[in-house]
Amino acid sequence: MQISRESLKVKNRELKPSDIKEIRVHGYFRPLIGIIPVGKRITPMDFCFRFIEQEDAAIQELTEWASKHQVKLSHKQVKKWL
């Protein structure tokens, strides 16, 4: 995942803040991140991932990005479809 000033890039797909309904973080050790697009109730598999290194710093950066762009970030279970 890449965080830029105006968008998130997850697995070669770019998401603008207006495309994101909610970002969910599940777990404390090696947390699972799920991005729910607008119009969906369950996280698509392409938008589920874990940070490999420096998890705390990466989640902090993601939290700041979500706050700046007024995207809801919650600590809930990530429900995903196959």
Side-chain angles (χ1 to χ4, degrees), residues 38-54:
V38 171
K40 302 289 184 184
R41 295 178 64 197
I42 298 175
T43 307
M45 286 299 293
D46 288 344
F47 298 140
C48 289
F49 59 92
R50 294 181 196 273
F51 291 113
I52 297 172
E53 296 177 357
Q54 301 177 347

Side-chain angles (χ1 to χ4, degrees), residues 18-70:
S18 60
D19 299 333
I20 300 171
K21 177 180 177 181
E22 182 178 5
I23 299 173
R24 289 188 176 183
V25 180
H26 181 244
Y28 184 74
F29 298 105
R30 293 193 55 223
L32 177 64
I33 312 297
I35 299 174
I36 303 173
V38 171
K40 302 289 184 184
R41 295 178 64 197
I42 298 175
T43 307
M45 286 299 293
D46 288 344
F47 298 140
C48 289
F49 59 92
R50 294 181 196 273
F51 291 113
I52 297 172
E53 296 177 357
Q54 301 177 347
E55 297 155 353
D56 294 334
I59 289 178
Q60 180 64 32
E61 188 176 351
L62 181 62
T63 302
E64 290 171 6
W65 184 90
S67 176
K68 178 181 174 185
H69 294 285
Q70 298 159 351

